[in-house]
Amino acid sequence: MAHGLSAQGMVVVGGQWGDEGKGRIVDALAEYCDVVVRFQGGNNAGHSLHIQEKSLVLHLIPCGIVRAGRVSIIGNGVVIDPDVLFEEINMLEAHDVPVSFANLKIAQHAHIIFPYHKLIDAARESSSSSPIGTTKRGIGPCYEDKVGRFGITVHDLFSPKVLRQKLERALARHRDELSRINQPYPIEAMLDWANNAARGLLPFVCDVGETLDGYLRAGKRVLFEGAQGSLLDVDHGTYPFVTSSNCIAAQASIGSGIGMTKLTDVLLVSKAYCTRVGEGPFFSEASIEEQDLFRRLGNEFGATTGRPRRCGWLDLPALKYAARINGATATALTKVDILSGLGAIRIGTSYCANGQRDLSFAEALQKFQEGENVTMAYQDLPVMEPITERVNSLADFPATIQELCRIIENHVGVPVRMISYGKKRGQELWL
Ligand code: IMP
Ligand code: MG
């Protein structure tokens, strides 16, 4: 098998701040899998796929949907904006990808993003003196309601009595904040919206945990598609500059309702350099001029919000940290082709602050929070010649890439199992 990965349950997660290219890897792996599952986040994600001449961005539905015969699942850990879901289904059908219960299943216990969640998210961002730089999709406020125990799930939409009660309670909890921003939400309007959402969702809803258990028992291969990235994880990321869900591999079990012992392989995806959108620490951030170059060569603009991404060099200690918190069994290195336009290439190897050297990622974050200047020490790699159109083995890559893989494996302690070197499907090498 091209990818050489044998697990029945495999998780693909981002090793940085999202946008590592997980979408194209999931798309490539989906060829060998039966089921693809999303287990956290919502339409804050943007997974770009380039299939033949078509470019397509998915925000909510797993990337597996574009492969015929694969089942896509939205797990209970995801927050769903029904309007976005319906739009995405329409977009797929316009691209000749039919969507029905045969290929899309949605967890009954996933939480619903209501229009007021988006208003609250946007209002807080614009009024805060230290904004997070969220995607303003209502993700954080929806997860807050969930852990606050007054959120509304897919299942709640189907019972008029329960829905009215829960909406009344939720709106009461948000009343002050909504009236401060001049959005006194009438319950009847919200009920209409929710009933419409219920009608659209109904054909896809099931007990996803049970369905997945059945697939696993039948020997099917299940791929868990992470969104965002490890450093945006609400527990382990660069808090408070994070998203509001757990994005690391363990969440695949919680966010889909299957036992963690079913997940045996964790593929950690990293770009050959580094980007982040939104505020927060970024120790290997490049100079303004270098960032322009990264952005131009790598098209580093948000797939969801269109914002220019902050760009910088590969940060090895952060990647090592991500490998640890995910229990990564392998890494995938993406966009190595971009390195050939950059001139001399740098790799961040360690952090220093206030005369202290070789700080761990956690220590560096602590220093950052205390207002100290954290600097990154770099190793230089020589200018890289362009990559040939087709690559069949590691030896076909320029020496710089071979060296980069050796450095990553030595530092991070897990093998590089895949390298992607172009936008097109097939421009990836499995090692
Ligand atoms: P939120 O998830 O919209 O609440 O945004 C919180 C932080 O996560 C912000 O810095 C966003 O830019 C970032 N973020 C959320 N989703 C993604 C993603 O899919 N890729 C990259 N950054 C993301
Ligand atoms: Mg993205």
Side-chain angles (χ1 to χ4, degrees), residues 18-22 44-48 228 302-304 309:
D19 309 312
E20 298 90 351
K22 298 178 290 294
N44 47 350
H47 289 165
S48 308
Q228 289 81 52
T304 299
R309 295 178 182 145

Side-chain angles (χ1 to χ4, degrees), residues 342-364:
L342 286 174
I345 297 161
R346 307 171 88 189
I347 311 174
T349 51
S350 66
Y351 310 118
C352 327
N354 201 12
Q356 276 179 277
R357 301 168 65 87
D358 289 328
L359 300 174
S360 68
F361 185 67
E363 289 166 333

Side-chain angles (χ1 to χ4, degrees), residues 281-283 351-357 359 363-376:
F282 182 176
F283 302 127
Y351 310 118
C352 327
N354 201 12
Q356 276 179 277
R357 301 168 65 87
L359 300 174
E363 289 166 333
L365 279 185
Q366 192 62 37
K367 297 281 181 200
F368 176 86
Q369 280 214 338
E370 289 161 8
E372 283 188 36
N373 184 29
V374 180
T375 55
M376 184 112 236

Side-chain angles (χ1 to χ4, degrees), residues 141-298:
C142 183
Y143 277 117
E144 282 175 34
D145 288 11
K146 174 179 175 175
V147 290
R149 292 166 297 192
F150 60 96
I152 296 172
T153 66
V154 170
H155 194 242
D156 294 333
L157 300 179
F158 304 126
S159 159
K161 199 169 140 212
V162 171
L163 177 62
R164 181 176 280 276
Q165 272 172 1
K166 291 201 172 184
L167 248 183
E168 276 170 1
R169 197 167 50 157
L171 285 170
R173 296 288 287 256
H174 291 302
R175 187 175 299 127
D176 289 351
E177 195 165 8
L178 287 171
S179 59
R180 259 203 308 283
I181 56 174
N182 283 324
Q183 295 282 354
Y185 247 99
I187 186 152
E188 299 307 326
M190 270 301 86
L191 279 169
D192 284 348
W193 180 89
N195 287 329
N196 188 48
R199 270 193 299 280
L201 282 162
L202 187 63
F204 303 104
V205 179
C206 68
D207 181 340
V208 151
E210 190 177 33
T211 306
L212 273 174
D213 186 59
Y215 285 137
L216 289 165
R217 282 175 196 280
K220 306 256 187 232
R221 283 166 163 271
V222 183
L223 187 61
F224 293 84
E225 171 187 333
Q228 289 81 52
S230 305
L231 305 181
L232 287 172
D233 182 280
V234 67
D235 279 86
H236 301 284
T238 50
Y239 192 88
F241 301 101
V242 293
T243 191
S244 297
S245 64
N246 289 107
C247 320
I248 63 171
Q251 175 64 19
S253 161
I254 296 166
S256 69
I258 56 129
M260 64 170 190
T261 48
K262 308 285 189 221
L263 308 169
T264 44
D265 270 15
V266 177
L267 183 63
L268 186 75
V269 186
S270 169
K271 271 197 278 229
Y273 51 98
C274 200
T275 62
R276 114 165 264 180
V277 205
E279 304 306 314
F282 182 176
F283 302 127
S284 60
E285 194 162 12
S287 69
I288 303 285
E289 300 77 41
E290 286 167 336
Q291 292 202 46
D292 274 344
L293 191 56
F294 272 115
R295 243 174 248 134
R296 203 151 40 77
L297 295 170

